[in-house]
């Protein structure tokens, strides 16, 4: 069974939220996403209604895996991109200040996270699918059990 | 150079252009070098009329007079023109093959003096090397008959051969002078006119050729851009030339492909070491990587050109999938051609067929979803909201580029995987098979395009024609089966 988590700000725990601010404090977004990525073997960040994302889902389903799909709205897209790139930058903001933007990887959607790490987009999934690497990687990430 | 160009253009059996070409070649080649006041008119008219005589035999009477007159009026003229060309009455370059020489021989049978023969044929000798051999052969026989062997006439130019020449009007010098001058003038006029005509014709050809290529390019752009712009929206020069540029690069890539193919072929037959063969095989893979890169660039500027396959031949277009070949079809074709394979390799190939099929299905479904979404967007635009809907539709269209890129990526990955599964030698043969296959598919397009169209009456002929075509295809298939 697959769960589609709708990324909505009101669902996030707001520790010290300002009044009517729609955007929760950054640390919270970060932690939520971080948890999401770390705890789920296979996470796909996909824009709603995006046909490319549809292709990724089809390919993964074809292998019998059930990825956690994060549907992204237009409004949230920029935020999520930032958050993900911060996560990928390898740590909290303070630790990364030295690296500035050089190490920041801005993921393109659809973005597939496998075993807590960014695997890539449709191109990488396709390449791994053809070369036969995809199944072993899925097994490694415990997304596939057979 | 102009002369080369004319030589080429007039080469393939445009016989009656050749005489016109000669004077021009002469003037462009030699006149500049000479810088003398030599009047080419006489020489040209002589040569022109020789050629004209091949077409209509009306100038018999004129030629002898010309020759004799040219010798009397300007005895040293030919000497001036070709200072390096030894004018010796007893010696002639064995022209034999020149049509102009042959013509001269035939004409010069009419004139009375050996000098005439020499003076007219000597300058023709260098020219005679220019006309194409096809013209030589065509025009050679009649001349030989008439002159009883032009070379003979040449070789024995020292001797006068009055019995072969006919000079109705040259009996008395006075009569010759008067009539000759008049004919001279007429011939000069005729030569001038024919020169102008030829020039006009060539210019017309050139401009038509340019116009044709421009039309082809416009048609190309219009076709690729016209689908979503409703056909009538061809905006002339504002359409991106990405499609035209890609076509050019693709043509170059095809030439490269032929080169790679022949290299592969010789390498396989020469039984090179695996190391050497690997270099060649890897080069071929890079060659394919290159076209995928080019297609990626083209997809950014004109994705419709790629999707509609206007860059490919009609038969290839028939099998087009997302702007290129369908990888699973290629694998299926190869399975039958790639014996012998180890069991592991067979499994690998079948696995590749399966994975590429899955990827193709996923991409196709994704494209279908895009199309459906686009239909909805276009259909549901209200009058008030139309611009917004157009903007949304444009945004969705932009995804097409992504699909073509992913499809090309799939093709590329498939070829790379193929390379991994096979040994170097098998891979070399495999790529030869692939190249051969697409070469035949393209040839099929050409054959189809040139098939006879008379449907009913010529039905029998049609079937004969296609049978012949099939033989052509089958004969190459016999080579194919060697793999």
């Amino acid at each position: 069974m697959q769960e589609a988590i709708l990324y909505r700000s009101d669902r996030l725990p707001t520790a010290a939220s300002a009044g009517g601010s729609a955007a929760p404090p950054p640390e919270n977004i970060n932690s939520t996403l971080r948890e999401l990525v770390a705890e789920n073997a296979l996470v796909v960040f996909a824009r709603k209604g995006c046909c490319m994302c549809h292709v990724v889902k089809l390919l993964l389903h074809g292998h019998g895996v059930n990825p956690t799909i994060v549907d992204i709205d237009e409004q949230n897209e920029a935020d999520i991109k930032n958050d993900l790139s911060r996560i990928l930058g390898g740590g909290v903001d303070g630790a990364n200040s030295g690296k500035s933007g050089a190490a920041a990887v801005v993921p393109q959607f659809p973005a597939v996270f496998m075993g807590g790490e960014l695997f890539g987009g449709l191109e990488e999934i396709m390449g791994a699918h053809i070369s036969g690497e995809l199944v072993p990687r899925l097994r490694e990430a415990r997304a596939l059990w057979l | 150079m102009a002369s080369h160009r004319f030589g080429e253009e007039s080469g393939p059996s445009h016989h009656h252009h050749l005489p016109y070409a000669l004077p021009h070649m002469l003037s462009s080649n030699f006149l500049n070098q000479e810088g003398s006041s030599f009047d080419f008119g006489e020489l040209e008219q002589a040569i022109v009329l020789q050629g004209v005589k091949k077409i209509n035999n009306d100038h018999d009477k004129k030629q002898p007079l010309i020759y004799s007159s040219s010798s009397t009026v300007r005895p040293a003229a030919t000497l001036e023109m070709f200072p390096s060309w030894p004018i010796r009455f007893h010696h002639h370059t064995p022209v034999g093959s020149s049509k102009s020489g042959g013509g001269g021989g035939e004409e010069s049978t009419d004139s009375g003096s050996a000098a005439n023969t020499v003076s007219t044929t000597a300058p023709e000798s260098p020219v005679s090397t220019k006309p194409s051999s096809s013209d030589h052969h065509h025009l050679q026989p009649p001349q030989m008959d008439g002159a009883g062997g032009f070379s003979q006439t040449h070789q024995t130019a020292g001797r006068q051969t009055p019995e072969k020449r006919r000079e109705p009007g040259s009996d008395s010098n006075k009569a010759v002078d008067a009539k000759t001058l008049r004919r001279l003038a007429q011939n000069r006029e005729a030569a001038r006119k024919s020169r102008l005509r030829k020039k006009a014709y060539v210019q017309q050809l050139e401009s038509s050729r340019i116009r044709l290529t421009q039309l082809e390019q416009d048609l190309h752009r219009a076709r690729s851009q016209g689908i979503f712009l409703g056909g009538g929206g061809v905006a002339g020069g504002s359409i991106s030339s990405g499609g035209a540029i890609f076509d050019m690069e693709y043509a170059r890539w095809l030439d490269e492909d032929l080169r790679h193919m022949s290299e592969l072929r010789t390498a396989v037959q020469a039984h090179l070491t695996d190391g050497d063969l690997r270099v060649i095989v890897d080069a071929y893979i890079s060659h394919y990587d290159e076209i995928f890169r080019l297609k990626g660039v083209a997809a950014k500027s004109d994705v419709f050109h790629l999707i509609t396959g206007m860059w490919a031949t009609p038969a290839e277009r028939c099998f087009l999938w997302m702007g290129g070949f369908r990888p699973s079809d290629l694998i299926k074709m190869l399975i039958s051609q790639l014996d012998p394979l180890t069991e592991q390799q067979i499994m690998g190939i079948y696995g590749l067929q399966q994975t590429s099929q899955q990827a193709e299905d996923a991409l196709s479904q994704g494209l279908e979803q895009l199309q459906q979404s686009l239909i909805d967007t276009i259909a549901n635009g209200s009058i008030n909201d139309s611009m917004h809907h157009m903007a949304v539709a444009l945004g969705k269209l932009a995804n097409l580029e992504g699909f073509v890129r992913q499809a090309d990526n799939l093709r590329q990955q498939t070829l790379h995987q193929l390379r991994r599964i096979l040994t170097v030698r098998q891979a070399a043969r495999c790529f030869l098979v692939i190249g051969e296959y697409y070469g035949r598919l393209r040839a099929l397009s050409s054959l189809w395009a040139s098939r006879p169209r008379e449907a009913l009456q010529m039905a029998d002929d049609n079937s004969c024609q296609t049978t012949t075509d099939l033989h052509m295809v089958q004969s190459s298939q016999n080579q194919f089966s060697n793999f």
Side-chain angles (χ1 to χ4, degrees):
Chain A
M1 269 206 331
Q2 111 191 15
E3 1 165 346
I5 300 174
L6 214 55
Y7 192 83
R8 274 208 296 262
S9 49
D10 52 299
R11 289 192 59 190
L12 295 170
T14 55
S17 60
S21 162
E27 306 85 43
N28 285 342
I29 294 185
N30 245 344
S31 61
T32 308
L33 275 181
R34 206 181 286 274
E35 281 167 24
L36 204 62
V37 166
E39 291 168 13
N40 290 287
L42 196 58
V43 186
V44 177
F45 290 86
R47 278 193 224 104
K48 263 203 292 194
C50 166
C51 32
M52 287 290 178
C53 307
H54 187 61
V55 177
V56 170
K57 290 184 222 169
L58 283 171
L59 274 177
L60 291 174
H61 288 326
H63 282 285
V65 298
N66 293 314
T68 308
I69 312 248
V70 180
D71 276 337
I72 301 173
D73 274 339
E74 270 179 50
Q75 307 102 298
N76 298 325
E77 187 169 330
D79 289 337
I80 296 182
K81 268 194 181 168
N82 285 336
D83 295 339
L84 284 177
S85 63
R86 257 182 272 151
I87 292 175
L88 292 168
V92 195
D93 290 356
N96 274 350
S97 54
K99 293 185 193 171
S100 69
V105 175
V106 181
Q108 298 299 313
F109 296 126
V112 179
F113 281 78
M114 213 182 291
E117 286 172 7
L118 176 64
F119 185 80
L122 178 54
E123 203 162 307
E124 286 78 17
I125 292 284
M126 193 93 78
H129 176 75
I130 292 289
S131 66
E133 280 173 32
L134 189 57
V135 172
R137 287 292 300 267
L138 286 171
R139 286 213 193 99
E140 251 179 59
R142 308 300 200 116
L144 194 57
W145 295 94
L146 293 169
Chain B
M1 244 171 83
S3 59
H4 287 305
R5 186 157 52 83
F6 292 138
E8 285 164 29
E9 281 182 357
S10 55
S13 70
H14 279 304
H15 306 298
H16 48 277
H17 290 301
L18 207 51
Y20 303 144
L22 289 176
H24 198 103
M25 284 191 285
L26 282 176
S27 41
S28 62
N29 274 336
F30 298 106
L31 185 54
N32 296 335
Q33 298 169 14
E34 286 300 313
S36 69
S37 57
F38 176 69
D39 178 15
F40 269 92
E42 298 158 43
L43 175 61
E44 287 170 346
Q45 60 203 358
I47 297 172
V48 163
L49 289 167
Q50 289 166 26
V52 171
K53 186 180 199 279
K54 301 297 155 282
I55 304 165
N56 50 17
N57 301 315
D58 294 336
H59 297 278
D60 289 352
K61 291 177 187 169
K62 291 185 187 171
Q63 263 108 14
L65 297 176
I66 296 169
Y67 294 170
S68 56
S69 66
S70 65
S71 65
T72 51
V73 173
R74 295 267 197 134
T78 52
L79 291 172
E80 283 174 27
M81 189 175 77
F82 297 100
S84 59
W85 195 269
I87 305 291
R88 279 173 257 142
F89 289 163
H90 306 285
H91 166 69
H92 246 290
T93 56
V95 175
S97 56
S98 83
K99 115 189 159 10
S100 51
E106 189 168 11
E107 311 329 321
S108 55
T109 55
D110 299 325
S111 65
S113 62
N116 295 338
T117 317
V118 173
S119 64
T120 50
T121 53
E124 294 152 18
S125 304
V127 174
S128 65
T129 58
K130 307 258 172 157
S132 70
S133 53
S134 61
D135 290 274
H136 290 174
H137 300 313
H138 172 81
L139 294 161
Q140 182 70 4
Q143 301 155 16
M144 292 308 247
D145 296 337
F150 171 59
S151 44
Q152 289 178 12
T153 316
H154 270 322
Q155 300 300 339
T156 61
R159 287 188 277 107
Q160 294 201 4
T161 54
E163 66 277 7
K164 292 187 181 178
R165 287 140 192 222
R166 162 173 68 79
E167 279 190 330
S170 62
D171 288 328
S172 63
N173 275 344
K174 302 163 210 162
V176 162
D177 282 340
K179 287 184 193 174
T180 304
L181 285 171
R182 197 178 66 227
R183 308 236 175 159
L184 205 62
Q186 285 173 352
N187 291 330
R188 221 172 310 185
E189 259 323 296
R192 207 169 290 137
K193 279 184 197 155
S194 62
R195 253 178 291 144
L196 288 170
R197 253 178 286 149
K198 188 208 71 164
K199 201 172 172 186
Y201 177 74
V202 166
Q203 273 173 1
Q204 193 190 14
L205 276 180
E206 289 293 306
S207 59
S208 315
R209 191 160 56 89
I210 293 172
R211 222 174 339 125
L212 183 65
T213 50
Q214 276 173 357
L215 279 173
E216 277 177 341
Q217 278 183 8
D218 288 342
L219 193 63
H220 233 31
R221 279 181 228 135
R223 272 203 200 129
S224 58
Q225 297 282 341
I227 295 174
F228 282 96
L229 292 178
V234 174
S238 68
I239 294 177
S240 76
S241 55
I245 290 175
F246 177 73
D247 286 353
M248 262 170 38
E249 289 171 330
Y250 180 62
R252 208 178 303 146
W253 185 86
L254 282 176
D255 290 338
E256 273 286 306
D257 198 56
L258 284 176
R259 194 181 57 77
H260 279 278
M261 286 284 290
S262 65
E263 209 178 333
L264 268 172
R265 211 170 280 128
T266 51
V268 166
Q269 286 166 359
H271 299 291
L272 295 182
T273 63
D274 274 9
D276 293 339
L277 205 52
R278 185 172 296 123
V279 171
I280 297 177
V281 167
D282 288 346
Y284 194 64
I285 298 232
S286 307
H287 172 67
Y288 260 97
D289 287 345
E290 177 64 17
I291 190 62
F292 293 130
R293 186 190 68 80
L294 289 172
K295 284 176 84 178
V297 171
K300 285 192 177 58
S301 66
D302 193 349
V303 66
F304 290 114
H305 183 72
L306 291 180
I307 284 187
T308 54
M310 298 316 293
W311 52 276
T313 57
E316 283 174 297
R317 232 175 282 151
C318 187
F319 298 100
L320 206 74
W321 173 79
M322 281 210 201
F325 66 85
R326 193 182 271 270
S328 58
D329 282 349
L330 185 67
I331 303 294
K332 278 182 215 158
M333 185 272 290
L334 286 173
I335 283 178
S336 59
Q337 306 287 335
L338 280 181
D339 300 324
L341 298 172
T342 69
E343 200 171 307
Q344 191 184 19
Q345 285 178 327
I346 291 176
M347 281 179 51
I349 298 275
Y350 274 103
L352 182 58
Q353 183 189 337
Q354 197 183 17
T355 51
S356 58
Q357 186 73 59
Q358 288 166 348
E360 283 166 30
D361 290 344
L363 280 173
S364 297
Q365 283 188 49
L367 187 61
E368 258 180 57
Q369 197 194 44
L370 177 66
Q371 285 171 341
Q372 197 55 51
S373 155
L374 201 52
I375 290 172
D376 289 339
T377 305
I378 295 174
N380 288 326
S382 65
I383 296 176
N384 299 331
D385 226 4
S386 62
M387 282 317 295
H388 169 70
H389 280 265
M390 281 302 183
V392 171
L394 280 175
K396 292 185 178 173
L397 270 187
N399 285 304
L400 280 174
E401 185 208 326
F403 274 101
V404 173
R405 289 249 51 222
Q406 292 304 326
D408 278 342
N409 178 41
L410 178 62
R411 292 175 192 117
Q412 189 176 22
Q413 294 296 329
T414 305
L415 288 175
H416 280 249
Q417 177 69 359
L418 206 53
R419 170 75 188 89
R420 277 179 231 124
I421 293 175
L422 300 173
T423 67
V424 175
R425 210 156 291 273
Q426 286 170 330
R429 282 199 292 265
C430 169
F431 289 128
L432 272 176
V433 165
I434 293 177
E436 177 75 29
Y437 178 80
Y438 285 111
R440 288 188 200 175
L441 199 53
R442 283 179 220 121
L444 198 61
S445 290
S446 313
L447 288 173
W448 179 258
S450 60
R451 78 197 189 285
R453 310 294 175 105
E454 303 87 9
L456 299 170
Q457 290 143 352
M458 305 288 278
D460 291 328
D461 291 341
N462 273 355
S463 55
C464 290
Q465 182 79 9
T466 47
T467 317
T468 328
D469 297 344
L470 279 174
H471 283 319
M472 282 167 61
V473 176
Q474 275 165 10
S475 63
S476 52
Q477 179 152 28
N478 290 334
Q479 304 167 359
F480 203 62
S481 62
N482 285 340
F483 291 117

